[in-house]
Structures are given as structure tokens and as C-alpha cells.
Amino acid sequence: MTKLALHQHGPTTGIPLVLLHGFPLDSRMWDAVVADLKDLPVLTVDGPGCGASPLPEGAPSLDTYADLLVASLDAAGHHRVVLAGLSMGGYAAMAVAERHPGILAGIGLLDTKAAVDPDEARHNRLAMADAAAEQGSAVVAGMINTMLGPTSHDSRPGVVEQMRQWLAEAPPAAIAWAQRAMAARPDRHAALRALEIPSLVLRGDEDDMSPHEAAASMVDALGEHAVFVEVPQAGHMTSNENPAAVVDALRDLHRRATAN
Ligand code: MLT
């Protein structure tokens, strides 16, 4: 069976914090965050077709991503985890919440949303999936304008350059797989309502891709278990634009989820 690549950081015992990256990146997206979590057991994951992970067979689906992730964690001896995902990583984390809630000690949903896309957004995803076969990673180059907030564009040239480089390296087959999977994803509010575990909802205050209302509806679904954090001076890529704030929020989530 296909397995996803898991990258271990920090201590090898204890309930790990598992981090799922956004589209169209790979586990390197978390480098700045992981650098400040050296005392926690952390696993970063390469999503389907990204980094060191192969592309699965069959129709692209976040449910497939979730099943593969849980099987890969299981094979590595991790039967209970604190799972956090940014954007597409959040969609995958919510698929895990729906299909494998028993593995979750806690969940973090960063710069993401539980609702389905409007028709136009779905259509645009499928058009990009088709175009990636011919144009390669050039189809995602323009995302640099929307992924990062104005503060980063104005004053963090290193972050902008790093992101530009990662976009240029995105594998075309993974771009197409991810867009088709995201276009097909269902609404996950019911799965969040069914959870009774410590949770985190986080967004950058300059994130136009995951608006405040999307975060508020996830907080509402998670109820009393949710902590909401709005990260200042960050757009969609909070993990790279303001990693210190993301580190604090993830550390607090892991502490709450492993307290007993
Ligand atoms: C991401 O960062 O993973 C993407 O913005 C997700 C999406 O396209 O909805």
C-alpha cells in the first residue's frame, strides 16, 4: 500500500504533533515552526505526490489522503496524535476527523475552512488541474500574490523569495491531484461538531483566502473545545509569515491535548 513520507523531529516518545502542509507545498513549509518546537515530538508529512510521498492511485480525494495518513501513522506506531493542518492540510485533517476520529487527541485548523467551494472556485480548480499537465508549475506562480499578506510583501523579502521558489518547484502531477481532491471535498462542519477534543482554529489577520467568517463557523462547530487565535501581520501562510505566533498556538494545543 502507498505510504506518505513522515519526517520525525524532536523527541521520539509521547503523543506527536503531526503537521500537514498547504497547497502546493511540501513538509518544508513547516521548517520555521519546527525549529522552535525542538522539545516536542513532531512529525511533518509530505502530502500525496509532494516531497518524498508518491501519488496514490484512484480518483483524487481528501478522504484518500486521510486514509493514507492514518495507515502511514499506524505503520510507524502512532495510534494517537495531535493533528494540525494549514489550508489544504486542514481539509485533510477534517477528513481524518470524519473518518478516523479515534486517532485524534487534538486538532488544529489553520488558515482553512470547513465549507465547500462555490461553483466558480470548483471550476477554477479543475481548470488549473488540466492546465498543470501542459504548463507545469507556472500555473501556481501567481498564487504568491494571494498567499502572502501585504506585510510580508512589503517587509519580508526572504519569505516572499522562499515562497516563490517553492511554488516553482511544485510537481505538476501533485498540483493536479490536489486541485481535483479539493474540488471534490464535502462540507465538514458535522464532523467538527461530533469532536469532543481540544482544538485550535487559527488564521492570519491579513488572510483573504480563509476569511474570518470561515474561522468563526469552525469555532462554532467545535464549541467549548475550541481556542481561536488571530495572528497579526500575516496572510494565508501564517506558518511562514509569523511562525512565532503559530509556535505558541500549537504548543498550547499540544499541552491541552496531552494534559491527562
Ligand atoms: C492552500 O494553501 O492549501 C490552498 O490555499 C487551499 C485552497 O486552495 O483552498
Side-chain angles (χ1 to χ4, degrees), residues 1-258:
M1 187 199 187
T2 310
K3 290 223 177 57
L4 297 179
L6 309 177
H7 306 279
Q8 174 115 39
H9 312 265
T12 53
T13 55
I15 296 180
L17 173 66
V18 177
L19 299 175
L20 305 179
H21 63 80
F23 169 83
L25 308 172
D26 59 43
S27 56
R28 293 173 296 173
M29 187 203 90
W30 293 108
D31 285 355
V33 166
V34 168
D36 265 339
L37 286 174
K38 288 202 170 67
D39 53 315
L40 293 190
V42 175
L43 294 170
T44 53
V45 180
D46 287 321
C50 304
S53 289
L55 265 186
E57 288 179 3
S61 149
L62 269 308
D63 291 352
T64 302
Y65 185 169
D67 294 353
L68 280 178
L69 173 66
V70 171
S72 306
L73 289 167
D74 219 48
H78 302 292
H79 311 299
R80 197 141 171 87
V81 303
V82 180
L83 181 62
L86 186 142
S87 200
M88 180 180 172
Y91 304 157
M94 288 184 260
V96 171
E98 188 163 298
R99 297 168 74 77
H100 308 278
I103 196 174
L104 296 176
I107 189 166
L109 301 170
L110 286 61
D111 300 286
T112 192
K113 42 193 183 279
V116 293
D117 290 330
D119 284 347
E120 189 187 347
R122 235 188 345 256
H123 172 83
N124 292 342
R125 289 191 190 281
L126 298 177
M128 183 188 281
D130 290 342
E134 276 181 23
Q135 297 167 37
S137 66
V139 295
V140 292
M143 285 181 64
I144 192 76
N145 298 318
T146 46
M147 286 170 100
L148 300 176
T151 304
S152 294
H153 280 290
D154 289 348
S155 62
R156 299 183 184 118
V159 172
V160 177
E161 197 36 52
Q162 177 69 90
M163 207 56 67
R164 233 189 261 288
Q165 194 180 322
W166 284 340
L167 290 173
E169 290 171 8
I175 293 173
W177 193 95
Q179 285 290 34
R180 294 198 172 103
M182 290 192 283
R185 76 186 196 282
D187 186 286
R188 302 283 187 192
H189 284 97
L192 298 187
R193 272 194 290 275
L195 291 180
E196 295 205 1
I197 51 173
S199 56
L200 163 71
V201 174
L202 176 150
R203 69 177 290 273
D205 68 352
E206 300 175 356
D207 184 0
D208 290 337
M209 296 172 83
S210 308
H212 192 276
E213 305 74 62
S217 79
M218 292 188 292
V219 171
D220 187 52
L222 289 160
E224 60 179 341
H225 310 284
V227 168
F228 175 56
V229 173
E230 194 148 52
V231 174
Q233 300 190 314
H236 191 56
M237 303 305 303
T238 45
S239 51
N240 307 79
E241 297 178 77
N242 191 343
V246 173
V247 163
D248 287 349
L250 289 175
R251 192 181 281 291
D252 177 65
L253 171 66
H254 189 267
R255 184 191 52 74
R256 289 186 285 126
T258 57

